């Protein structure tokens, strides 16, 4: 029974460390505990409607929940390792009775104190191998704190890049770019900039998949609500006479397809064409699809503002 608890505790610790590794340093599309938690929080909040106030808290609350689960599970894992060896392999402060402080709660207390690197010392291991394990747990606690900070510092810049691209698309939609202005060297440069920004956002969704579950409150900074204009702009540019514009439109089309592939494989699973994926993306984030509105006015000389 002793070694069974130790093995269960070790397995729990390794499971959490694996999840931390795949969430922050080696993201994969196979998901994990963090992705499951983020997705669950998102579904509980976002699907109640865009105007429901807690929807904007889904991402931050999801991250807090993930970090809390990481810390609790790691602490519980180490507690399962300590518990079978209490009180024989531990020393106690003079005012503590060992037989009265050898239960699972006491083991969890020792684990939390060690994980948080507090080192109170009122209950400490005396056995050789346990004395080696406690500093290892302290290192794990420090690594978990560092990983959490790295995760936060990575996700929020990714969100800023995504929202900046959405705002740029919103500017183009509201400025009513004419067909003549688009069919020029300046139009080609504009399309190249959009393709570059889309490539960056695609990488962000790969590296920081949890950023998908953050809701963008304002319509103008919501990429889910602005991608339709990017599709319509690409359609218009592919009919341009300027060869540089057509080349840039082809690159932008490829960037859109790559983004659609990542969104579909990692989050939406529609197995549809890029436009269908973007529509599902807009729906999942509580936004109307604005591609049709933009396209209706695109045939005119000055286009339309594409308001949904």
């Amino acid at each position: 029974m002793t070694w069974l608890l130790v093995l269960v505790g070790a397995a729990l610790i390794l499971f959490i460390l694996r999840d931390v590794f795949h969430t922050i340093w080696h993201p994969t599309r196979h998901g994990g505990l963090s992705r499951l938690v983020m997705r669950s929080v998102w579904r509980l909040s976002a699907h109640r409607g865009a105007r429901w106030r807690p929807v904007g808290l889904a991402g931050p609350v999801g991250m807090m929940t993930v970090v809390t689960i990481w810390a609790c599970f790691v602490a519980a894992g180490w507690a399962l390792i300590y518990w079978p060896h209490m009180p024989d392999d531990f020393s106690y402060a003079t005012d503590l009775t060992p037989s009265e402080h050898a239960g699972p709660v006491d083991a969890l207390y020792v684990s939390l104190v060690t994980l948080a690197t507090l080192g109170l010392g009122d209950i400490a291991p005396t056995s050789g191998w346990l004395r080696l394990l406690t500093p290892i747990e302290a290192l794990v606690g420090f690594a978990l704190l560092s990983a959490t900070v790295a995760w936060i510092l990575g996700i929020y810049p990714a969100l800023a890049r995504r929202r900046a691209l959405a705002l740029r698309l919103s500017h183009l939609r509201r400025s009513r770019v004419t067909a003549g202005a688009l069919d020029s060297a300046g139009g080609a440069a504009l399309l190249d900039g959009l393709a570059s920004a889309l490539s960056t956002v695609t990488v962000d969704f790969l590296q920081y998949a949890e950023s998908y579950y953050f809701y963008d409150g304002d319509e103008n900074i919501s990429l889910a609500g602005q991608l339709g204009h990017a599709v319509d702009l690409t359609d218009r540019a592919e009919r341009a006479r300027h060869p540089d514009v057509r080349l840039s439109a082809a690159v932008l089309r490829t960037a859109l397809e790559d983004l659609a592939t990542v969104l579909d494989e990692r989050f939406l699973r529609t197995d549809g064409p890029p436009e269908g994926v973007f529509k599902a993306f807009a729906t999942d984030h509580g936004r109307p699809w604005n591609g049709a509105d933009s396209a209706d006015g695109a045939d005119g000389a000055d286009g339309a503002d594409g308001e949904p």
Side-chain angles (χ1 to χ4, degrees):
M1 185 64 178
T2 297
W3 289 107
L4 178 60
L5 289 175
V6 171
L7 290 175
V8 171
L12 191 58
I13 295 167
L14 292 175
F15 172 73
I16 294 300
L17 293 180
R18 177 188 180 277
D19 191 66
V20 173
F21 176 75
H22 283 296
T23 297
I24 300 174
W25 293 298
H26 186 248
T28 65
R29 66 181 179 181
H30 301 297
L33 178 62
S34 59
R35 194 77 52 81
L36 176 63
V37 171
M38 295 292 291
R39 186 185 299 118
S40 299
V41 174
W42 173 255
R43 288 177 177 174
L44 287 173
S45 60
H47 286 190
R48 291 179 178 267
R51 294 186 178 182
W52 194 55
R53 186 175 297 274
V55 71
L57 300 176
V61 169
M63 288 185 68
M64 290 175 58
T65 304
V66 169
V67 173
T68 301
I69 290 175
W70 282 347
C72 291
F73 276 31
V74 168
W78 288 100
L80 288 174
I81 295 175
Y82 297 145
W83 181 28
H85 303 281
M86 299 178 72
D88 296 337
D89 294 327
F90 284 80
S91 64
Y92 291 79
T94 54
D95 57 338
L96 296 178
T97 303
S99 60
E100 295 178 357
H101 295 84
V105 174
D106 301 285
L108 183 60
Y109 163 74
V110 173
S111 178
L112 287 172
V113 167
T114 306
L115 189 67
T117 64
L118 294 178
L120 298 181
D122 51 348
I123 303 178
T126 56
S127 179
W129 69 279
L130 285 175
R131 293 177 65 189
L132 289 176
L133 280 183
T134 48
I136 293 176
E137 183 183 5
L139 288 174
V140 170
F142 180 77
L144 187 60
L145 175 62
S146 301
T148 300
V149 173
W151 195 28
I152 294 172
L153 293 178
I155 279 187
Y156 280 94
L159 290 173
R161 290 187 289 269
R162 184 175 88 192
R163 291 164 180 169
L165 172 59
L167 187 59
R168 189 174 185 184
L169 289 170
S170 174
H171 290 161
L172 291 172
R173 173 175 59 83
R174 288 178 286 160
S175 63
R176 302 183 181 184
V177 177
T178 64
L182 185 61
D183 195 359
S184 64
L190 175 67
L191 296 175
D192 287 338
L194 291 177
S196 177
L198 276 168
S199 299
T200 301
V201 170
T202 301
V203 173
D204 286 337
F205 276 124
L206 288 169
Q207 185 66 37
Y208 304 105
E210 291 75 20
S211 64
Y212 176 90
Y213 303 107
F214 279 73
Y215 178 77
D216 303 312
D218 188 270
E219 175 190 355
N220 293 324
I221 62 171
S222 174
L223 185 62
Q226 300 295 333
L227 274 175
H229 185 63
V231 173
D232 294 332
L233 198 63
T234 305
D235 292 339
R236 293 170 58 189
E238 287 177 337
R239 299 191 296 267
R241 298 177 182 177
H242 199 294
D244 290 347
V245 175
R246 293 198 302 272
L247 176 60
S248 298
V251 174
L252 181 57
R253 175 75 68 184
T254 302
L256 286 168
E257 291 173 352
D258 287 346
L259 176 60
T261 298
V262 171
L263 289 173
D264 203 37
E265 289 182 351
R266 297 230 168 184
F267 312 105
L268 299 170
R269 307 299 175 94
T270 67
D271 295 324
E275 187 169 333
V277 173
F278 294 147
K279 287 181 180 179
F281 181 36
T283 300
D284 200 32
H285 281 251
R287 298 296 180 186
W289 175 249
N290 62 10
D293 292 336
S294 298
D296 290 340
D299 293 333
D302 57 356
D305 59 7
E307 289 286 353

